[in-house]
Amino acid sequence: MAMRKRSGSGAKRQHKCKLVPIYESFFKDEDLTLAHPNFWNELFLIKPMVPHIENEILHMTSEQLNASKENLNALVCHCVDTLVDEHPFRIVYALQTLAAVIQSMYKKANQGDYGFNLIDILVTSIAE
């Protein structure tokens, strides 16, 4: 009996290659929605790379966090908005992304005195 090679491994590499530059650009305070109007609709159709989100956040300085505040606010807002979506994968992926961001930011806040307000960085635009 011949063994069949699984086709899923190639898809995982494409998934990783697509998300890494998105996360890196996003956390460098670049507005990805200008070039891609469907950015938020498409982002939550891809399984989030939780370790990469955590790594990006934990390696940011307080200046970088404050510079990325608008993007982090938008990410949290869109995660919350997506929780009422009809597409179950989008809901799950938005929730995973939201949990990864909140957990990573909490870890970052507890690493030392970085001089940032966790709530202010994550949800200021929601409250305004």
Side-chain angles (χ1 to χ4, degrees), residues 25-108:
S25 296
F26 190 80
F27 291 116
K28 288 180 184 170
D29 195 32
E30 296 176 16
D31 189 356
L32 299 172
T33 60
L34 294 176
H36 307 286
N38 289 326
F39 174 76
W40 295 112
N41 291 328
E42 295 173 2
L43 180 66
F44 299 122
L45 290 174
I46 306 169
K47 184 175 181 180
M49 295 175 58
V50 172
H52 194 77
I53 293 171
E54 183 174 295
N55 187 44
E56 286 289 327
I57 290 174
L58 291 177
H59 286 94
M60 294 174 82
T61 65
S62 59
E63 293 82 21
Q64 290 170 323
L65 282 171
N66 284 320
S68 297
K69 179 179 172 180
E70 192 173 315
N71 278 355
L72 286 166
N73 282 181
L75 180 60
V76 169
C77 287
H78 286 284
C79 284
V80 171
D81 288 345
T82 304
L83 296 178
V84 295
D85 195 271
E86 293 178 5
H87 196 287
F89 284 113
R90 290 187 71 202
I91 295 169
V92 170
Y93 295 160
L95 189 56
Q96 288 175 344
T97 301
L98 181 62
V101 169
I102 291 172
Q103 183 177 21
S104 300
M105 290 296 292
Y106 183 76
K107 284 181 184 178
K108 183 71 175 174

Side-chain angles (χ1 to χ4, degrees), residues 15-24 43 46-49:
H15 159 74
K16 182 179 179 180
C17 292
K18 185 174 184 173
L19 279 179
V20 169
I22 290 172
Y23 289 149
E24 289 173 350
L43 180 66
I46 306 169
K47 184 175 181 180
M49 295 175 58

